[in-house]
Amino acid sequence: IQGPARPRQFEFHPVWPNVAVVGTTEGIVSVIAADSGAVRAETRTGDPTGGGAMEEEGGAVLGLCWLRSNPNHFVCGTDRGTVKLYDIDRMAEAGKNPTVYDYEDFNELTSVNVNASDELIICSGYSNCLALYDLRSGVKLDTFQECHSRHINVVKFAYTQPSVFATSSFDHSMKLWDLRLPKRDGHLVPIYTRNSEKGN
């Protein structure tokens, strides 16, 4: 793939062939033709208007996730903790705000993902907790505390089950969770745990 300088994250489109979104370490987000690198739309994560001028530094892009129900939309998370829903048509229109929703910041974010029904966003960070957002209203629904003993590097929803997600942590464990299950003493309980003796 050819594209923006210093790419940090990319995600191929789930519906449109040859389309990808690329995020850089400098906070640039570009929708490109994957074969040529030609830019279809572009914005900066710290730019509130889409005009290209940075109001503040947006931070490196650490998470990107396309929506399935609306192929023009994707979620972007940065190391500054910002979580936004972007519209690529707005990105392509000069001077128009490309942001559909600007969610409550999640401190020291490491990963962001959208569930299979495009209803929920989940975030992990340099902590042992997770944040759950309502994608369409922008409201933070819950914060799940003490999911791991060390920080959570990656969180991903299952591809076909909207309530099921997995986490991987620097405590050398991977856990599977189901939002439909009741909490125990105020905490989510994993339905499966796998530990590793080596690596992270």
Side-chain angles (χ1 to χ4, degrees):
I1 298 175
Q2 297 182 12
R6 304 186 70 186
R8 173 60 177 76
Q9 198 80 15
F10 71 91
E11 188 83 11
F12 285 102
H13 201 284
V15 178
W16 298 334
N18 197 39
V19 174
V21 59
V22 180
T24 75
T25 58
E26 297 173 345
I28 298 171
V29 184
S30 305
V31 177
I32 66 169
D35 59 352
S36 66
V39 176
R40 296 181 51 178
E42 191 170 81
T43 192
R44 293 175 179 265
T45 56
D47 176 14
T49 65
M54 294 282 279
E55 183 178 77
E56 58 183 24
E57 188 177 349
V61 175
L62 299 184
L64 294 165
C65 192
W66 291 101
L67 270 59
R68 303 183 202 180
S69 58
N70 190 334
N72 284 329
H73 289 177
F74 66 89
V75 172
C76 174
T78 75
D79 66 355
R80 299 273 179 173
T82 61
V83 182
K84 296 183 180 185
L85 179 65
Y86 285 112
D87 184 313
I88 63 174
D89 288 336
R90 294 187 192 181
M91 285 171 62
E93 202 170 323
K96 194 159 189 179
N97 185 351
T99 306
V100 180
Y101 286 115
D102 195 343
Y103 303 93
E104 181 181 331
D105 287 359
F106 185 74
N107 192 38
E108 296 186 309
L109 181 144
T110 59
S111 180
V112 61
N113 201 239
V114 176
N115 75 337
S117 57
D118 286 348
E119 296 173 314
L120 301 172
I121 298 172
I122 197 162
C123 296
S124 66
Y126 286 103
S127 66
N128 61 3
C129 66
L130 302 165
L132 188 71
Y133 301 85
D134 183 302
L135 185 143
R136 301 189 189 285
S137 71
V139 173
K140 183 189 277 190
L141 299 174
D142 209 340
T143 300
F144 306 126
Q145 303 287 349
E146 299 176 2
C147 297
H148 286 266
S149 60
R150 295 183 64 190
H151 88 253
I152 301 166
N153 190 39
V154 177
V155 59
K156 294 283 185 184
F157 273 109
Y159 194 71
T160 57
Q161 296 292 331
S163 65
V164 175
F165 66 93
T167 54
S168 177
S169 167
F170 279 86
D171 66 5
H172 305 283
S173 73
M174 183 279 294
K175 297 182 180 183
L176 194 65
W177 312 81
D178 192 333
L179 294 171
R180 295 170 294 188
L181 299 180
K183 292 181 179 180
R184 186 182 302 163
D185 297 324
H187 293 84
L188 281 183
V189 179
I191 57 176
Y192 176 82
T193 300
R194 184 75 182 213
N195 295 304
S196 170
E197 296 180 1
K198 297 180 180 179
N200 294 315

